Amino acid sequence: MNPFSNRKPVIDPALFIGRRNLVAAICERLTAMPPQCCAVIGDARSGKTSLLYYLRNATSARPVCGDAAARFVFPYVNAGPYADLGASQSHGALYFWRDLARATAQALALPVDLSDLPDHGIADAAIVDVVYTLKCQVEDIIRQHPEHTFVFLIDNVEGIARLPRHTASFLRSLTQDPDIGARVAYVVTARAPLSRLYPADELREPSSFWGLFASELFLGGLDDAEIAELLERTSALNNADRAVIRQLGGANLMLILIAAAHVYDWRSLHSGSIDDVECAAIEEARPLCRSWWRELVELHTSIPDAHQALSDQGRTRSSDETALFEALQVRGLAQRDRHGWRIISTMFAQALHDQPNASPSDASPLSPSVVPPPAFTHLEGEVYAFLREHAGRVCTRDEVKRAIWPVAPPSDSALQKIIERIREKIEPDPKHPRKLIAVRGQGYMLRRDVD
């Protein structure tokens, strides 16, 4: 089995790669008095969820956090599915707090019975009362266990931004309670800085919850020791192979995994050439690299031609261009040496090479002949990629949920919302889907025979 082909979140802490400096920075904040909240920012599939899974195991964090790790309790909730419910879907707040109450009890191996709480058929006006009841249950658990500090791990915290405002207010209130507030903190993950989660025209004032996060930590590229640890997991690769992988992927985890998977298969099958391997890896990584580039260009609009800025090696950079390269460096895609800034990932450079004369108005350097993929959110893209990988056969709801959410899967209704949003982006008539169909009583199927 290819040891680099599984790019889903890592559940086993023994298989978690490096990130020691980041874990140490988180532990430094959590062991302060009172504990400080942390926001971890990183691109899609950069390892944010794996980091939270690692923290859930207090034993894993002990070498870095010391004995203080023993008192931590880490309830985990993935807020991603709630992003697709919309701000008007107040039921999302109910689902979130139900999951949070359940996760808090399970983190202490306590029995929890939420069956008496209503689910469907609740008027929106009554939901806030049920949510408040759930919030009080969480408070009671914390109050009854004064020996523990409760660090709530909220993955894909973007979902909170799309829920009614009382959700964020209740989360903040846990930290302000005079009896328990000194034993409550949050570690959250997001794809963008928290300040960007709310469009400015939708807010009268910032969310009180985001004010808990004084600083943000960026989940970036791997260091040399972490890359070596990753590539030494198999003896099938020699030093030349590892050098090729590093040249292709730079220091970016996702690109290194893509490159390593192709090189490993090439070594195992003994067919083709190394040039074929590089071409295949670049083709697989192209959509991912372009999505990163689109996001960067949107953030650095003050640069007249961001694409050209990548090509001009060895010259003095403006402050705006330096900021662009620093963002690439965080992602493990660029490096600065005595000659100046340069791109260190061949895969990333090649993915942007199709249209070297891209105009400043282009959102990304895509070739005109290439049709960009639908603008999926992170979770929509993950679900769509899984269904596409199994196109032509029915995938049960449990299959999809286990593949995308190995821990704390969402409800069937939350998954259905994601499916509906995917249909809106791939179906000519989303109300009468032909490509992504539901098979009654079984699950979902992405058809091969429909363009």
Side-chain angles (χ1 to χ4, degrees):
M1 180 180 294
N2 192 320
F4 306 106
S5 60
N6 179 19
R7 297 165 201 159
K8 298 301 179 184
V10 176
I11 299 177
D12 184 354
L15 300 178
F16 183 74
I17 290 294
R19 309 296 192 187
R20 188 175 181 86
N21 292 336
L22 183 61
V23 173
I26 293 173
C27 286
E28 180 181 357
R29 287 161 173 78
L30 295 181
T31 53
M33 295 300 291
Q36 303 300 302
C37 299
C38 304
V40 178
I41 312 301
D43 290 314
R45 291 181 279 180
S46 60
K48 301 187 298 296
T49 300
S50 297
L51 174 68
L52 295 191
Y53 289 172
Y54 181 77
L55 290 175
R56 287 179 79 219
N57 187 327
T59 304
S60 302
R62 189 185 295 273
V64 182
C65 296
D67 293 338
R71 73 171 186 265
F72 292 146
V73 173
F74 294 99
Y76 169 90
V77 175
N78 179 11
Y82 311 114
D84 291 323
L85 295 176
S88 63
Q89 298 289 332
S90 55
H91 278 77
L94 172 61
Y95 302 146
F96 169 77
W97 278 98
R98 176 173 291 185
D99 288 347
L100 191 68
R102 182 178 290 112
T104 305
Q106 290 175 343
L108 292 167
L110 299 175
V112 58
D113 183 9
L114 303 176
S115 59
D116 60 334
L117 290 172
D119 188 348
H120 301 290
I122 314 175
D124 285 357
I127 285 180
V128 67
D129 295 329
V130 181
V131 168
Y132 180 77
T133 299
L134 289 165
K135 193 263 293 190
C136 291
Q137 287 189 12
V138 173
E139 286 179 337
D140 289 342
I141 295 175
I142 299 172
R143 194 169 284 110
Q144 292 164 11
H145 294 82
E147 72 278 14
H148 289 303
T149 295
F150 289 75
V151 180
F152 292 94
L153 307 176
I154 303 181
D155 207 0
N156 301 303
V157 77
E158 293 93 336
I160 303 298
R162 311 321 311 161
L163 294 179
R165 296 291 296 276
H166 62 71
T167 295
S169 298
F170 285 165
L171 287 172
R172 182 181 177 90
S173 72
L174 295 181
T175 68
Q176 296 177 317
D177 187 296
D179 294 330
I180 65 174
R183 295 187 292 109
V184 174
Y186 298 97
V187 177
V188 305
T189 67
R191 288 188 61 185
L194 302 185
S195 59
R196 292 174 51 205
L197 295 186
Y198 282 113
D201 56 355
E202 293 183 11
L203 277 184
R204 293 182 180 177
E205 59 184 18
S207 165
S208 59
F209 179 56
W210 308 131
L212 296 175
F213 302 90
S215 61
E216 296 172 334
L217 304 173
F218 287 84
L219 185 64
L222 302 175
D223 61 30
D224 290 343
E226 292 166 347
I227 296 172
E229 181 185 351
L230 176 63
L231 298 182
E232 288 170 2
R233 284 187 171 174
T234 174
S235 59
L237 302 178
N238 58 37
N239 289 336
D241 295 332
R242 296 185 180 98
V244 169
I245 292 167
R246 295 202 60 171
Q247 178 183 8
L248 285 169
N252 182 278
L253 172 62
M254 198 60 201
L255 298 188
I256 288 174
L257 285 172
I258 292 173
H262 283 278
V263 172
Y264 180 90
D265 284 341
W266 173 62
R267 277 290 175 204
S268 302
L269 299 174
H270 305 289
S271 63
S273 67
I274 190 62
D275 290 339
D276 296 330
V277 173
E278 292 186 11
C279 288
I282 290 168
E283 285 305 311
E284 181 180 344
R286 197 181 300 274
L288 184 62
C289 292
R290 287 172 171 170
S291 69
W292 290 338
W293 182 246
R294 280 194 293 268
E295 293 177 6
L296 287 168
V297 169
E298 290 172 1
L299 285 175
H300 297 85
T301 55
S302 58
I303 301 176
D305 190 343
H307 189 268
Q308 182 62 33
L310 297 184
S311 304
D312 297 338
Q313 302 289 329
R315 66 173 175 81
T316 302
R317 301 287 178 183
S318 68
S319 59
D320 292 329
E321 290 175 339
T322 298
L324 172 63
F325 273 96
E326 287 174 345
L328 290 168
Q329 183 182 41
V330 166
R331 291 164 166 81
L333 300 170
Q335 188 177 72
R336 187 175 189 174
D337 56 26
R338 61 189 180 90
H339 300 295
W341 287 103
R342 63 186 180 87
I343 301 299
I344 60 172
S345 166
T346 302
M347 294 163 75
F348 182 75
Q350 191 61 43
L352 307 184
H353 186 64
D354 290 344
Q355 193 178 343
N357 296 319
S359 67
S361 61
D362 291 331
S364 71
L366 291 175
S367 168
S369 63
V370 177
V371 179
F376 291 132
T377 65
H378 171 56
L379 283 174
E380 292 166 4
E382 291 288 300
V383 172
Y384 181 76
F386 178 79
L387 294 173
R388 186 176 59 185
E389 184 180 343
H390 300 87
R393 78 167 179 84
V394 178
C395 299
T396 67
R397 292 179 178 84
D398 285 343
E399 268 187 293
V400 177
K401 288 192 283 188
R402 282 197 304 269
I404 311 303
W405 299 273
V407 177
S411 63
D412 286 349
S413 58
L415 175 60
Q416 176 63 25
K417 288 289 184 182
I418 295 175
I419 294 293
E420 290 172 0
R421 293 178 73 89
I422 293 174
R423 285 174 175 157
E424 291 175 0
K425 297 173 181 179
I426 67 171
E427 297 279 3
D429 183 1
K431 293 184 178 179
H432 301 89
R434 297 175 61 245
K435 299 179 181 180
L436 177 50
I437 62 173
V439 180
R440 188 177 183 86
Q442 297 184 49
Y444 304 103
M445 180 173 70
L446 189 66
R447 296 175 59 181
R448 294 179 182 275
D449 57 340
V450 178
D451 295 325

